[in-house]
Amino acid sequence: MAAPPCAFSPRGCRLFASSGPDGRLRVWDTAGSRLQHEYVPSAHLSAACTCLAWAPGGPRQPPSKDGPQRKKRKSEAGEVDKQLDILAIGTAVGSILLYSTVKGELQSKLDGGHDSRVNCVRWHQDSCCLYSCSDDKHIVEWNTQTCKVKCKWKGDNGSVTCLCISPDGKMLLSAGRTIKLWDLETKEVYRHFTGHATSVSSLMFTTVKPMNESKPFDGITGLYFLSGAIHDRLLSVWQIRSDRKEKNAVMSFTVTDEPTFVDLTISEVKEEPVKLAVVCRDGQLHIFEHILNGYCKKPLTSNCTIQIATPGNDGDSTPKPVPILAAAFCTDKQSLLLVYGNTLQPIIEKVSLNTSESHICLVRDIQKVLSLKTDAALTKVKTPVVNLDTKVLVPGIPGHSTAIKTPASGKEKKKNKRKPGETEESIEERLGALDIDVSKVKTPGGLPQTDSFAVLLVQGLESNDAEILNKVLNTRKENIVKNTVARMPIHAVIPLLHELTKRLQGNPYSASVMVRWLKSVFTVHASYLSTLPDLIPQLGMLYQLMESRVKTLQKLSRLHGRLFILVTQVAASQTVQDVPEVNQTAKLVYEDDSSEEEGSDDEMIADKDSDENWDEDEEKDKEEQSDEQDMTVEKEINGDSDLEPENESEEE
C-alpha cells in the first residue's frame, strides 16, 4: 500500500498538508499541530488524492544572476504573490485541483491533460507553470492562469512516476524506472540515466552549484540529484556530467526500509555537506550528512536514526513504537520538524538535530499530547460570558463546551438571586437536577435499572472508569439501551460518542454491541447534534471508521453469496450420499407343496428342452435349404431339370 501523500509548505514549513485514502485534504499548522483547513472534493471517494505540491514561495535561484532576469522576476512578483499558499492536488482520475489555503476553497480545476492516474505534480520556480506526469506515459505543462495545457509530450514507454525541475528552471527530470533529463525549451532528452529496477518515487536536486568551480557553469553540468524507488532500500545520487556515456550513480545511501518521505538541505558551497532526512515505511527516520565530492563505491549508512515510542507506564508496560510520517529541516538546518502518530490527527513537533548519537529514541505520550491539543483548541471556541465564580463539571473526554456552560450559567444566575452567598452546587444537588430517583435503583434481582444505568454512564464518562463503562455498555437489551440514552444529560452525548468510537476500533464482538448504542444516540439526540457548530471534527474519526467498514461490505456480500452456494452444494451432495440403498431381497417368501414344486421343475426343464430343440430344428432346416440350393445348381450345370417328367421316365 502506498504512503499517503503529504507535503510541507515553502518558506519555513509553516503548514503541513496531507491526504488520506478517503480523499479528504487536511492542512495543519506546524506551530501548534492544529487543523486549519479540511477540504472534501466532490468526487473524493472515486478520485482519491495521489500527490500534493505547494506553490513555490519565491525563486530559489542563486543571487549571481544578471539584470534582465531580476527585472523579470520583479514584473512577475504580483503573480508569484498570488500563487502563495496554493496547493496542487493530483487525483486518480487524471484531473488536477488547485486549492487556496488563504480562501479555504477550490480555486480552479485542470482537466483534459491526462487520461489516467496523476503520479506527480511540480511547480515551476519563476512562473505560473505546473508540470504533471501520469500513468498514461505523458508529461503535461499547464498554464495555471488559463487552466489549459501549454504542452504535452510522451515521457516514457511506461508510466512516468516522478518529476523534478532544475534549480535554474530550464531542465526537467522525469523518471519511470529510467531517469531522463529534458530541455524544457525543445522538449528533447538531454541526458539518460540508468535509474532503478522499480518505479522511482522521489527525485530532487542536492546542489545548485558545481563542486568544480574552475569550469564555466552552464546551469546544469556538474550538479547532483537524488532518487529513490519503491521496494528499494538504496537512495542513489547521480551527477550530471558533460560525458554522455556516464549513466550510473556515483554514490548511494542505505536505509532500513522503503523510503516514503525525503527532505534535504541543498548544498550551496563546496565544503558544505548535504543533510538528508529519510522517513522509511517502518516508521524510522534516518539522518545522513555527507559532502558530495565524486564517486563513492560503498553505500553510505546513516549518521543518526530516530525512533519514537510510547512510555508504556499505564496499563501496558510494553512501549509501543509510534510511526514517523514525515520530517523536514527548518531554515536554520539545525532542527527538524517531525510529524508522527495517526494520519487523521498527526502530532507535529520541532526537535533539535544531534547527529553525535547514532540512535535516538524519543519517548512521547500520544494520548496526553492529543488531549492537551484538544483542550487548547476548545479554549478558542466563543462561548457566552458567564460569572467567573461559576464552576462547571466538565466531562473527562472533551465535548462541546458551549452546551455545558450555557444551562449552568442560567441556573447560577437564578441561584445568586435567591442565595447571594452560595457560589457552587453540591454533588447531591447536581444529581437531583438530573431528575433521577436513586431510591428506585434497588430491584429484587439486584440488577440496576435504566435510570441507574444513565447515572453510571455519566459517572464513567466523567471519571473515565473502564469498569463502569464496561458494565453499562456491554448490555444487549434494546429497551435498556434506548431508555438509558433517552435519560442521559445532553452534555454527555459527545463524550459518549467518543467512547463508542474508541471501542469500535476494538474486536468485532464489541463493535457489534457498540452499534446498538450508536443507533440509539443518533435516533434520540439527532436534533441536538445537528445544532453543534463543530460536529464534523467531533465525529470525524467515527465517520472514517464507518466509511472504511462500508467499503468492504460489497466484497463481503459477494464472498458470502459464493460461500453460501458452495455450502448448499456440499450439503446437497452429502444428503444424496447419506440416502440408504434400497434392499432388493424379499422380506417374505411364500412356498407351495413339494409336488407342485417338482411339477414346476419338470415344466421348466421341458421348456428348456423344447427351446433347445427348437433351436436345433431351425439349424437343421437351414442346412437342408442350403443343400437343396446346391443340388439345383449342379443340376442346372449338368442340364438336368426336375421340372421335365418325361425325361425322368425315360431314364427309368
Side-chain angles (χ1 to χ4, degrees):
M1 181 180 178
C6 55
F8 286 93
S9 65
R11 290 187 177 179
C13 303
R14 186 175 57 88
L15 300 175
F16 175 74
S18 66
S19 177
D22 58 350
R24 293 173 178 263
L25 173 68
R26 297 175 179 88
V27 180
W28 305 85
D29 182 13
T30 57
S33 299
R34 290 185 298 271
L35 181 64
Q36 283 201 349
H37 301 279
E38 185 174 10
Y39 172 65
V40 184
S42 58
H44 64 286
L45 294 179
S46 60
C49 172
T50 56
C51 52
L52 296 173
W54 288 91
R60 293 180 61 181
Q61 292 183 349
S64 61
K65 295 292 180 181
D66 50 4
Q69 290 190 354
R70 288 186 179 179
K71 291 181 180 180
K72 182 179 179 181
R73 291 202 303 269
K74 186 176 180 180
S75 64
E76 295 178 353
E79 295 182 1
V80 172
D81 291 338
K82 291 180 182 179
Q83 294 292 330
L84 289 180
D85 297 329
I86 300 295
L87 193 60
I89 307 168
T91 63
V93 296
S95 60
I96 300 174
L97 309 177
L98 299 183
Y99 179 78
S100 173
T101 57
V102 176
K103 299 178 181 179
E105 61 184 12
L106 185 67
Q107 178 170 300
S108 57
K109 184 177 181 181
L110 308 180
D111 277 327
H114 295 291
D115 300 329
S116 185
R117 168 192 172 100
V118 179
N119 293 320
C120 183
V121 287
R122 288 290 180 265
W123 291 86
H124 197 274
Q125 291 94 327
D126 298 332
S127 64
C128 57
C129 288
L130 182 71
Y131 294 89
S132 62
C133 61
S134 170
D135 284 345
D136 61 5
K137 309 176 185 179
H138 286 81
I139 302 173
V140 177
E141 180 182 359
W142 300 87
N143 186 342
T144 57
Q145 299 293 330
T146 61
C147 300
K148 294 182 179 180
V149 177
K150 290 180 63 177
C151 184
K152 179 178 180 180
W153 70 96
K154 186 176 180 181
D156 207 329
N157 292 328
S159 299
V160 184
T161 57
C162 199
L163 298 175
C164 181
I165 300 176
S166 63
D168 62 353
K170 296 181 180 180
M171 295 287 181
L172 175 69
L173 281 172
S174 72
R177 293 184 178 180
T178 61
I179 303 174
K180 298 179 181 179
L181 181 64
W182 300 84
D183 188 347
L184 288 179
E185 292 184 2
T186 61
K187 305 299 186 294
E188 295 180 355
V189 178
Y190 182 73
R191 290 286 190 277
H192 280 277
F193 299 93
T194 306
H196 297 259
T198 55
S199 299
V200 176
S201 58
S202 58
L203 278 175
M204 54 185 64
F205 278 89
T206 59
T207 55
V208 295
K209 288 183 179 181
M211 296 304 167
N212 188 4
E213 298 180 354
S214 60
K215 297 181 180 180
F217 181 47
D218 59 355
I220 195 66
T221 304
L223 297 186
Y224 290 88
F225 67 90
L226 179 79
S227 68
I230 61 174
H231 310 304
D232 193 348
R233 295 189 299 172
L234 288 177
L235 288 100
S236 301
V237 178
W238 316 77
Q239 187 179 16
I240 303 172
R241 300 183 179 180
S242 57
D243 184 9
R244 292 178 176 269
K245 296 181 180 180
E246 186 63 36
K247 299 180 180 181
N248 297 325
V250 295
M251 66 182 67
S252 59
F253 301 100
T254 178
V255 291
T256 56
D257 204 347
E258 173 189 341
T260 57
F261 193 92
V262 181
D263 189 57
L264 52 82
T265 61
I266 295 180
S267 175
E268 298 181 356
V269 186
K270 182 178 180 180
E271 293 79 11
E272 182 182 4
V274 173
K275 294 182 180 179
L276 182 65
V278 183
V279 178
C280 297
R281 186 173 293 278
D282 57 4
Q284 299 186 42
L285 172 64
H286 300 278
I287 306 296
F288 298 87
E289 189 172 348
H290 185 73
I291 298 176
L292 303 178
N293 54 3
Y295 183 76
C296 182
K297 184 177 181 181
K298 186 178 180 180
L300 302 175
T301 57
S302 61
N303 298 74
C304 179
T305 301
I306 300 177
Q307 287 180 295
I308 300 179
T310 58
N313 296 330
D314 298 335
D316 191 2
S317 60
T318 305
K320 296 181 180 179
V322 179
I324 301 177
L325 306 176
F329 288 99
C330 298
T331 53
D332 58 357
K333 299 183 180 181
Q334 301 299 324
S335 56
L336 276 171
L337 277 177
L338 297 182
V339 182
Y340 57 91
N342 189 3
T343 55
L344 298 178
Q345 193 173 5
I347 301 173
I348 305 174
E349 180 182 353
K350 184 178 181 180
V351 297
S352 60
L353 184 60
N354 182 16
T355 57
S356 59
E357 300 181 16
S358 61
H359 192 278
I360 299 175
C361 184
L362 304 177
V363 179
R364 298 290 185 269
D365 191 350
I366 296 183
Q367 299 297 331
K368 184 181 294 184
V369 173
L370 288 178
S371 62
L372 292 176
K373 299 295 182 184
T374 308
D375 293 339
L378 287 176
T379 56
K380 294 188 176 182
V381 178
K382 294 183 179 180
T383 57
V385 179
V386 296
N387 189 4
L388 297 177
D389 297 331
T390 303
K391 294 184 179 180
V392 181
L393 187 61
V394 181
I397 301 177
H400 186 55
S401 57
T402 306
I404 300 173
K405 295 184 179 180
T406 303
S409 62
K411 291 181 180 179
E412 191 63 25
K413 290 180 180 179
K414 294 180 181 178
K415 200 168 184 180
N416 287 337
K417 291 180 180 179
R418 296 195 306 267
K419 299 177 181 180
E422 188 174 353
T423 59
E424 184 178 359
E425 291 182 351
S426 63
I427 299 297
E428 183 179 359
E429 292 172 345
R430 291 182 183 277
L431 293 177
L434 298 176
D435 296 331
I436 297 175
D437 190 359
V438 185
S439 62
K440 296 181 181 179
V441 173
K442 297 182 180 179
T443 59
L447 296 175
Q449 297 297 319
T450 303
D451 49 2
S452 64
F453 263 110
V455 176
L456 289 174
L457 183 59
V458 175
Q459 290 179 354
L461 292 174
E462 292 178 353
S463 61
N464 201 14
D465 192 335
E467 184 177 356
I468 297 178
L469 292 174
N470 291 334
K471 183 178 180 182
V472 176
L473 296 178
N474 286 336
T475 180
R476 286 180 168 271
K477 296 182 179 181
E478 295 285 347
N479 191 22
I480 295 179
V481 173
K482 291 180 180 179
N483 293 334
T484 303
V485 173
R487 290 173 179 267
M488 65 183 295
I490 291 296
H491 66 79
V493 173
I494 292 296
L496 175 60
L497 288 177
H498 286 307
E499 180 66 26
L500 294 176
T501 303
K502 184 171 66 175
R503 290 171 179 264
L504 277 173
Q505 302 176 14
N507 55 7
Y509 174 79
S510 63
S512 62
V513 180
M514 296 306 111
V515 168
R516 303 183 182 185
W517 286 90
L518 279 176
K519 179 181 177 181
S520 299
V521 171
F522 289 138
T523 304
V524 176
H525 298 287
S527 58
Y528 165 68
L529 292 174
S530 62
T531 61
L532 298 181
D534 56 346
L535 181 63
I536 294 178
Q538 292 280 6
L539 302 183
M541 181 68 73
L542 178 61
Y543 172 78
Q544 301 295 335
L545 289 173
M546 295 173 64
E547 190 174 15
S548 62
R549 296 194 180 213
V550 168
K551 284 182 179 179
T552 59
L553 178 61
Q554 186 177 4
K555 297 180 180 179
L556 290 176
S557 300
R558 293 178 181 174
L559 180 61
H560 177 266
R562 294 174 182 174
L563 291 177
F564 179 75
I565 294 174
L566 290 176
V567 170
T568 52
Q569 290 178 352
V570 171
S573 63
Q574 288 180 353
T575 54
V576 172
Q577 294 176 0
D578 295 341
V579 173
E581 296 181 356
V582 179
N583 191 1
Q584 301 294 337
T585 59
K587 294 184 178 180
L588 178 62
V589 178
Y590 178 75
E591 297 179 354
D592 293 337
D593 295 336
S594 60
S595 60
E596 294 180 356
E597 290 179 359
E598 292 175 358
S600 63
D601 293 337
D602 294 337
E603 291 175 358
M604 292 293 291
I605 293 171
D607 293 337
K608 290 181 179 179
D609 293 338
S610 63
D611 292 337
E612 293 175 357
N613 294 333
W614 177 259
D615 296 335
E616 292 175 357
D617 293 338
E618 287 181 350
E619 292 177 358
K620 290 180 179 179
D621 294 337
K622 291 180 180 179
E623 291 176 357
E624 291 176 357
Q625 291 178 1
S626 61
D627 293 336
E628 290 177 358
Q629 291 178 359
D630 295 336
M631 290 291 292
T632 54
V633 171
E634 291 177 356
K635 288 179 180 180
E636 290 175 355
I637 294 172
N638 297 326
D640 298 334
S641 175
D642 294 337
L643 299 177
E644 296 177 358
E646 296 178 359
N647 296 333
E648 289 182 359
S649 62
E650 290 177 359
E651 290 178 359
E652 290 177 356

